[in-house]
């Protein structure tokens, strides 16, 4: 069996495809994972992935691609230009399946230029089942849709003639595409079925520091940057989150913040375990070896789908300010 190719643009996509690659044994060497340079902490993440041995990585900087090529043989010329500027060439014959989550990306357009049949992966749970599919319906209503179906240009979100299959949490319920093009591949079921060995693998990839041996009754603080949003100064935000932690934290304190938040939480909470801001939140729900007693956040929806805490506390910004 040939190895698969996985193309990832986010840490969540890396998580999903790492697990899928690990469950798809290949006697012809490890699977290949292409990391867009848009993935946070790309080089360090690639090094940890390579060391784990499940995949070998290739980093592609799509920002080096200047734009669309038009005119005769546009797709061939665009593919060659991409390879020259971005430093990676697809050998389609070397791979079994080619998986990509964002086929509207530069890498997605490159796959179409190469006429490489690919599988479009569902990027979030149930996205193919959502009530608002205006991106697809608007694309199909465009005057040039039929021409693009014949290969004159690009189509996205599964409509490309070079997209051979589309994954869904539940293919039988998806009405966007013909049933013959759909396949059920539940990411929720995947994450809920992880073995202890798989959880340990995920922690090796996404956690760069050892976890405490004991975390019974721990609290998880999930801050966000109100400084970046222009709502308060750094000093005001620091004081607010210290007050929130003093009131609501029980047991050991863990901090997991938003990737845009550059606050030095280790300086703010010297005794806390500060988890990587680039780690996908699904690691918290499915891959840690313990459960939190309490999770606390301020003016955020991060706890909406959170399942790894016995108690969830959501404060408004005004409520948190009053604690100072």
């Amino acid at each position: 069996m040939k190895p698969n190719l996985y193309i990832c643009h986010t840490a969540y996509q890396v998580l999903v495809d790492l697990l899928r690659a690990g469950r798809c044994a290949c006697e012809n060497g490890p699977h290949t994972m292409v990391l867009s340079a848009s993935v946070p902490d790309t080089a360090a993440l690639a090094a940890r992935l390579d060391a784990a041995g499940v995949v070998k990585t290739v980093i592609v900087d799509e920002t080096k691609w200047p734009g669309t090529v038009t005119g005769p043989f546009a797709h061939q010329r665009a593919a060659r230009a991409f390879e020259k500027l971005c430093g990676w060439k697809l050998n389609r014959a070397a791979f079994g399946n080619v998986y990509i989550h964002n086929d509207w990306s530069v890498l997605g357009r490159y796959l179409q230029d190469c006429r490489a049949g690919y599988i479009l992966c569902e990027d979030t749970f149930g996205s193919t089942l959502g009530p608002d599919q205006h991106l697809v319906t608007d694309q199909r209503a465009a005057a040039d849709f039929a021409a693009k179906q014949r290969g004159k240009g690009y189509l996205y979100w599964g409509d490309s003639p070079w997209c051979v299959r589309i994954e869904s949490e539940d293919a039988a319920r998806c009405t966007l595409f013909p049933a013959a093009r759909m396949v059920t591949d539940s990411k929720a079921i995947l994450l809920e079925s992880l073995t202890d060995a798989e959880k340990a693998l995920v922690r090796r990839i996404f956690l760069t520091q050892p976890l405490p041996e004991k975390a019974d009754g721990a609290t998880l603080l999930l801050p966000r940057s109100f400084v970046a949003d222009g709502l308060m100064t750094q000093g005001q935000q620091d004081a607010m989150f210290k007050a929130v932690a003093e009131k609501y934290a029980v047991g050991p304190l863990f901090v997991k913040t938003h990737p845009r938040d550059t606050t030095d939480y280790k300086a703010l909470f010297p005794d806390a375990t500060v988890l990587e801001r680039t780690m996908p939140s699904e690691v918290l729900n499915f891959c840690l070896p313990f459960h939190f007693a309490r999770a606390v956040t301020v003016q955020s929806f991060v706890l909406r789908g959170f399942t790894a805490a016995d108690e969830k506390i959501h404060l408004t910004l005004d409520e948190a300010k009053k604690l100072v």
Side-chain angles (χ1 to χ4, degrees):
M1 185 182 78
K2 294 180 180 178
N4 294 327
L5 176 68
Y6 301 92
I7 300 177
C8 300
H9 287 83
T10 68
Y12 165 76
Q13 294 168 11
V14 172
L15 168 65
V16 167
D17 288 341
L18 170 70
L19 294 168
R20 297 204 296 181
R23 292 189 178 188
C24 184
C26 180
E27 62 274 14
N28 295 316
H31 303 283
T32 294
M33 180 177 288
V34 169
L35 296 179
S36 166
S38 63
V39 177
D41 198 21
T42 319
L45 177 61
R48 296 195 297 273
L49 287 164
D50 288 339
V54 178
V55 296
K56 59 180 179 181
T57 60
V58 175
I59 298 175
V60 176
D61 186 355
E62 297 166 280
T63 63
K64 295 180 179 179
W65 174 238
T68 302
V69 174
T70 58
F73 306 104
H75 70 279
Q76 295 170 323
R77 290 165 45 232
R80 301 296 83 78
F82 172 91
E83 291 161 2
K84 181 179 179 180
L85 293 169
C86 298
W88 178 67
K89 181 178 180 179
L90 170 66
N91 177 7
R92 184 62 183 88
F95 301 105
N97 292 325
V98 173
Y99 295 90
I100 188 170
H101 298 253
N102 297 346
D103 67 348
W104 46 262
S105 65
V106 172
L107 275 160
R109 293 195 291 273
Y110 173 63
L111 292 182
Q112 295 184 40
D113 286 329
C114 291
R115 305 312 198 225
Y118 64 87
I119 297 171
L120 181 65
C121 311
E122 190 155 47
D123 192 33
T124 56
F125 298 156
S127 58
T128 56
L129 309 178
D132 180 8
Q133 300 291 345
H134 71 276
L135 293 174
V136 176
T137 55
D138 290 352
Q139 175 174 256
R140 292 174 181 176
D144 59 352
F145 179 68
K148 288 182 175 180
Q149 283 186 303
R150 296 192 296 270
K152 296 181 179 180
Y154 304 110
L155 290 172
Y156 312 123
W157 309 297
D159 272 343
S160 169
W162 312 112
C163 177
V164 297
R165 197 151 68 248
I166 300 139
E167 294 179 349
S168 173
E169 281 292 302
D170 187 350
R173 291 172 51 210
C174 179
T175 59
L176 284 172
F177 307 96
R181 297 189 65 206
M182 298 295 301
V183 61
T184 295
D185 190 288
S186 173
K187 310 307 183 287
I189 291 176
L190 170 69
L191 292 170
E192 290 166 357
S193 65
L194 298 185
T195 65
D196 289 342
E198 288 171 326
K199 292 177 182 179
L201 170 65
V202 170
R203 293 195 294 271
R204 289 201 305 274
I205 298 300
F206 290 103
L207 296 175
T208 59
Q209 60 179 321
L211 292 173
E213 293 185 6
K214 293 184 179 181
D216 297 339
T219 297
L220 176 66
L221 177 64
L222 297 128
R224 51 167 278 200
S225 181
F226 296 101
V227 177
D229 295 335
L231 298 176
M232 57 178 57
T233 67
Q234 186 67 58
Q236 290 170 329
Q237 178 176 289
D238 291 351
M240 180 184 71
F241 281 124
K242 286 191 71 172
V244 169
E246 287 173 4
K247 181 172 178 61
Y248 291 102
V250 294
L253 178 64
F254 288 71
V255 181
K256 170 64 175 79
T257 188
H258 190 277
R260 289 195 305 117
D261 190 350
T262 59
T263 301
D264 184 354
Y265 285 101
K266 193 60 183 176
L268 196 61
F269 301 108
D271 297 327
T273 299
V274 180
L275 302 171
E276 286 73 4
R277 57 172 45 87
T278 56
M279 179 182 71
S281 61
E282 286 76 14
V283 173
L284 295 170
N285 274 345
F286 300 105
C287 303
L288 295 186
F290 50 79
H291 203 72
F292 295 101
R294 180 177 287 179
V296 187
T297 191
V298 177
Q299 202 82 16
S300 170
F301 295 114
V302 67
L303 292 180
R304 180 176 289 174
F306 192 73
T307 60
D310 298 324
E311 180 184 9
K312 296 188 289 187
I313 298 173
H314 176 273
L315 301 173
T316 67
L317 183 56
D318 286 340
E319 289 172 334
K321 286 179 176 179
K322 291 177 181 178
L323 297 176
V324 179

